Amino acid sequence: MDALIEPLQYGFMQRSLIIAILVGLICAIVGSYLIVQRLALLGDAISHSVLPGLAIAFLFGFNIFVGAFIAGVLSTLIIAWIRTRSPIKEDAAMGIVFSAFFALGITLITVIQKDNKIDLNHFLFGNILGVTASDVRDTAIIAGIILAIVFLFYKELLFYTFDSLGAQAAGLPTNLLNLGLMVLIALTIVASMKAVGVILVLSLLITPGSTAYLLVKRLHHVMILGAAIGIVSSISGMYLSYFYNLPSGAAIVMVASGLFFLAFLLSPRHGILTQPGSRTMRTLPLLRELRELMPKSRQKG
């Protein structure tokens, strides 16, 4: 109990834990949609694309959350524009846009640091221990907006996520739903920047939801369990960071990744170590079926 209570005596740890809990919650919920749609690369693209926006906002004295959000949404619009106006596929468009935005962001940060003699690397790797009361307030507002949107439009987003063509045939505004999902992802990434930075945020978006996906079937169960895993990972990572002097964002991601590999090995339905029989034994029925389908002359051979 003393070990659990000790970090809470410090204001910076209290603020950091609040941020960690909020980030673990919203990343898992929004990331569940990315997992179902197999759009993990889109989360990576947006997370890298926010960098020039926050650098420009910092340079002109604006709120960095607003700058990062605008850059994230702009990157998704450019990806859609390239995909619809050229034969380039979506994954290639994502790679082109996020690498271009990321390179621009690195360039801007280098120029700003050269002229102002300040360190902006926390945008890349996170600095959750340095959050202020205003950061906590902004993150809580963003988290509230995200949760409200998911709650209000859960059925529509669920339908669109699993069957976009069916949703369009049913008369749902699929373009608006797609844009809304992109906005949710951008908001989540912006809220997570202080915790893990733009480089590691993809892990928090994907890993808790993927862990839950190995354990439960329905999307709302994936969201609930993924949120619990995200919160536990965030809190555990913060305590590891405090007691062992580790980078906070990296510690959170390491815990989340460790829980994923435990589920990967021990999941009742999909676990490598819990499946009846070895991989070879599971392939024998397929081999028998193939043998029955082969002509007898081929079997003799």
Side-chain angles (χ1 to χ4, degrees), residues 37-236:
Q37 284 195 313
R38 299 180 180 179
L39 289 176
L41 182 58
L42 180 60
D44 192 30
I46 298 177
S47 66
H48 285 75
S49 299
V50 302
L51 198 58
L54 60 87
I56 293 173
F58 181 87
L59 182 63
F60 289 99
F62 300 144
N63 189 312
I64 62 171
F65 287 98
V66 176
F69 172 73
I70 293 174
V73 173
L74 180 62
S75 68
T76 62
L77 295 177
I78 294 176
I79 290 171
W81 182 54
I82 293 174
R83 179 175 58 84
T84 56
R85 292 301 188 93
S86 73
I88 303 297
K89 300 298 183 182
E90 188 173 25
D91 56 347
M94 290 178 191
I96 293 168
V97 172
F98 96 68
S99 58
F101 271 62
F102 191 64
L104 176 60
I106 294 293
T107 303
L108 290 173
I109 286 178
T110 303
V111 172
I112 293 172
Q113 290 183 149
K114 186 187 302 182
D115 295 337
N116 296 275
K117 306 299 181 184
I118 56 176
D119 183 16
L120 297 180
N121 289 330
H122 59 274
F123 289 148
L124 296 174
F125 306 108
N127 184 25
I128 194 172
L129 297 179
V131 297
T132 63
S134 61
D135 292 329
V136 175
R137 180 202 63 208
D138 293 342
T139 304
I141 292 173
I142 294 173
I145 293 172
I146 292 171
L147 294 176
I149 292 174
V150 171
F151 178 78
L152 292 174
F153 299 100
Y154 173 77
K155 292 182 179 179
E156 291 80 2
L157 288 172
L158 176 66
F159 193 2
Y160 170 74
T161 300
F162 280 97
D163 187 3
S164 59
L165 294 178
Q168 186 174 10
L172 291 178
T174 53
N175 290 331
L176 286 178
L177 289 174
N178 182 65
L179 179 60
L181 187 57
M182 300 306 105
V183 169
L184 284 179
I185 298 168
L187 284 172
T188 303
I189 290 169
V190 168
S192 308
M193 287 189 311
K194 280 286 187 177
V196 293
V198 300
I199 293 180
L200 295 177
V201 68
L202 180 66
S203 178
L204 275 188
L205 270 173
I206 300 302
T207 308
S210 298
T211 306
Y213 193 71
L214 293 174
L215 300 172
V216 294
K217 297 180 180 180
R218 302 177 68 86
L219 180 62
H220 67 279
H221 291 159
V222 172
M223 287 183 171
I224 295 171
L225 182 58
I229 293 170
I231 292 172
V232 169
S233 300
S234 298
I235 295 175
S236 302

Side-chain angles (χ1 to χ4, degrees), residues 5 10 19 22-23 29 50 93 124 192-193 215 232 265 289:
I5 295 174
Y10 304 98
I19 291 283
L22 292 173
V23 167
I29 290 176
V50 302
L124 296 174
S192 308
M193 287 189 311
L215 300 172
V232 169
L265 294 174
E289 184 177 354

